[in-house]
């Protein structure tokens, strides 16, 4: 009889530090929709430019470079919008970097598996831990070709990793590829273009504790009024003091609305993202 597995000491799982809730922006006027599109398009263009700069820098990145990018965006938006854009860019680059490392590990595991099975005699028996040899000469030959493809992909991925190169598409690689296969995706060119522009818009802002209702950029009052601090080039769209645009629609957050209302009433940080 084998040894019994030892039971570890009990511990308490920490409580969640944040939650995500959502609601629809209902009752928007045509002017509201146009303003949201213009702000999203303008900030999306800045976010695309900033992502290109971040990817160009690669692994050679420090706080000075971050501050320089932020200063360059501030003149075309605001300091808070610039901070939100550069932070989102850094997070997107870091996510792509982690995905790249995971891709390399997956390729390494697949190369090891195929190489090990190719080294076994045909129809060699496997066990619970690993599969045996391939069933036929034809399958063996196909897998040997597959191994060369995997090794080539692995070399390319490792080279990108050493150079700090990541491949990121704002708007999504799947949607980008569907542009060449509109019929298979069930889209017209105009409909694809609308989706593409919508996915590439940027309209999100992190909050700041101590500021009014927890966010100076995208502000939602406890009674659901939504206002946005416009970027400097779009200040002419303002319909409220201090360069703000107030939407006609209201939000209620039916799910966990009480928690959200307590937080904004206490001026605690709340992040918002408008899709």
């Amino acid at each position: 009889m084998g040894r019994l597995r030892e039971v570890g000491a009990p511990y308490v799982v920490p409580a969640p530090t944040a939650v995500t809730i959502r609601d629809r922006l209902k009752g928007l006027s045509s002017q509201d929709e146009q303003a949201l599109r213009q702000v999203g398009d303008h900030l999306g263009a800045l976010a695309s430019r900033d992502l290109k700069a971040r990817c160009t820098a690669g692994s050679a990145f420090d706080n000075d470079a971050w501050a320089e990018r932020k200063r360059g965006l501030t003149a075309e938006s605001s300091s808070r919008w610039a901070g939100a854009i550069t932070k989102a860019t850094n997070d997107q680059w870091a996510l792509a970097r982690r995905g790249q490392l995971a891709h390399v590990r997956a390729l390494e595991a697949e190369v090891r598996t195929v190489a090990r099975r190719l080294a076994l005699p045909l129809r060699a028996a496997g066990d619970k831990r690993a599969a045996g040899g391939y069933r036929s000469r034809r399958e063996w030959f196909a897998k040997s070709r597959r191994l060369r493809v995997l090794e080539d992909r692995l070399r390319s991925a490792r080279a990108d990793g050493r150079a700090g190169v990541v491949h990121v598409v704002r708007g999504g690689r799947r949607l980008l590829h569907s542009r060449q296969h509109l019929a298979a995706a069930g889209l017209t060119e105009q409909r694809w273009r609308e989706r593409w522009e919508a996915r590439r818009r940027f309209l999100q802002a992190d909050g700041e504790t101590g500021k009014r209702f927890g966010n100076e950029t995208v502000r939602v009052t406890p009674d659901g009024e939504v206002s946005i601090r416009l970027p400097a080039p779009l200040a002419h769209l303002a319909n409220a003091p201090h360069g703000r645009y107030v939407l006609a629609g209201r939000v209620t957050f039916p799910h966990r609305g009480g928690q959200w209302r307590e937080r904004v009433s206490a001026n605690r940080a709340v992040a918002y993202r408008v899709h």
Side-chain angles (χ1 to χ4, degrees):
M1 183 175 180
R3 294 179 55 191
L4 295 177
R5 180 173 61 88
E6 296 181 0
V7 179
Y11 62 94
V12 178
V13 178
T17 57
V19 296
T20 301
I21 58 176
R22 64 176 61 186
D23 192 18
R24 293 184 180 273
L25 282 170
K26 300 178 181 179
L28 296 179
S29 65
S30 59
Q31 184 179 359
D32 292 342
E33 296 178 0
Q34 185 65 23
L36 287 174
R37 288 193 181 97
Q38 290 188 44
V39 174
D41 289 339
H42 176 73
L43 296 177
L46 298 182
S48 298
R49 192 178 72 190
D50 187 62
L51 180 61
K52 179 180 179 181
R54 178 65 187 90
C55 291
T56 301
S59 300
F61 171 75
D62 53 23
N63 290 334
D64 292 337
W66 186 355
E68 182 64 27
R69 285 167 37 219
K70 184 177 178 180
R71 281 193 294 269
L73 295 175
T74 298
E76 300 181 65
S77 54
S78 69
S79 61
R80 285 191 171 88
W81 278 124
I85 290 173
T86 53
K87 182 181 181 300
T89 295
N90 292 339
D91 292 344
Q92 191 170 11
W93 188 92
L95 177 62
R97 185 68 163 173
R98 292 193 297 271
Q100 182 186 66
L101 296 176
H103 180 57
V104 169
R105 295 191 188 100
L107 286 175
E108 290 173 344
E110 193 170 359
V111 166
R112 287 194 300 268
T113 299
V114 175
R116 187 191 63 80
R117 296 189 69 186
L118 287 174
L120 296 174
L122 293 178
R123 293 180 294 278
D127 53 32
K128 294 182 179 180
R129 297 181 179 178
Y134 291 110
R135 293 168 295 179
S136 65
R137 187 70 184 175
R138 180 178 181 179
E139 185 180 11
W140 186 97
F141 177 76
K143 293 299 182 180
S144 66
R145 299 286 298 271
R146 172 67 176 170
L147 179 61
R148 300 298 176 265
V149 173
L150 292 174
E151 289 174 339
D152 184 65
R153 292 178 181 175
L154 180 57
R155 283 192 295 269
S156 177
R158 284 174 172 170
D160 286 345
R162 288 191 296 269
V165 176
V166 298
H167 303 278
V168 184
V169 179
R170 290 198 70 251
R173 187 173 301 177
R174 180 177 299 179
L175 184 59
L176 175 64
H177 288 172
S178 67
R179 175 63 181 85
Q180 307 301 326
H181 309 280
L182 294 177
L187 297 172
T188 62
E189 183 176 351
Q190 180 180 0
R191 180 58 178 161
W192 178 90
R193 177 64 60 182
E194 291 174 355
R195 289 189 180 184
W196 178 250
E197 292 176 352
R199 291 284 296 274
R200 288 171 64 85
R201 291 187 180 113
F202 185 94
L203 198 51
Q204 66 186 60
D206 295 333
E208 186 177 353
T209 298
K211 297 299 181 180
R212 190 178 182 189
F213 302 129
N215 198 313
E216 283 286 338
T217 308
V218 180
R219 180 185 295 166
V220 184
T221 64
D223 60 354
E225 181 185 84
V226 183
S227 65
I228 298 173
R229 179 64 181 269
L230 296 172
L234 300 178
H236 61 279
L237 299 176
N239 61 1
H242 309 296
R244 305 193 70 87
Y245 188 93
V246 179
L247 301 178
R250 301 266 176 147
V251 295
T252 58
F253 295 120
H255 176 64
R256 287 186 169 177
Q259 295 179 359
W260 164 80
R261 196 167 289 105
E262 291 178 1
R263 192 171 184 88
V264 298
S265 298
N267 294 333
R268 299 178 62 190
V270 182
Y272 295 105
R273 178 179 298 175
V274 182
H275 294 277

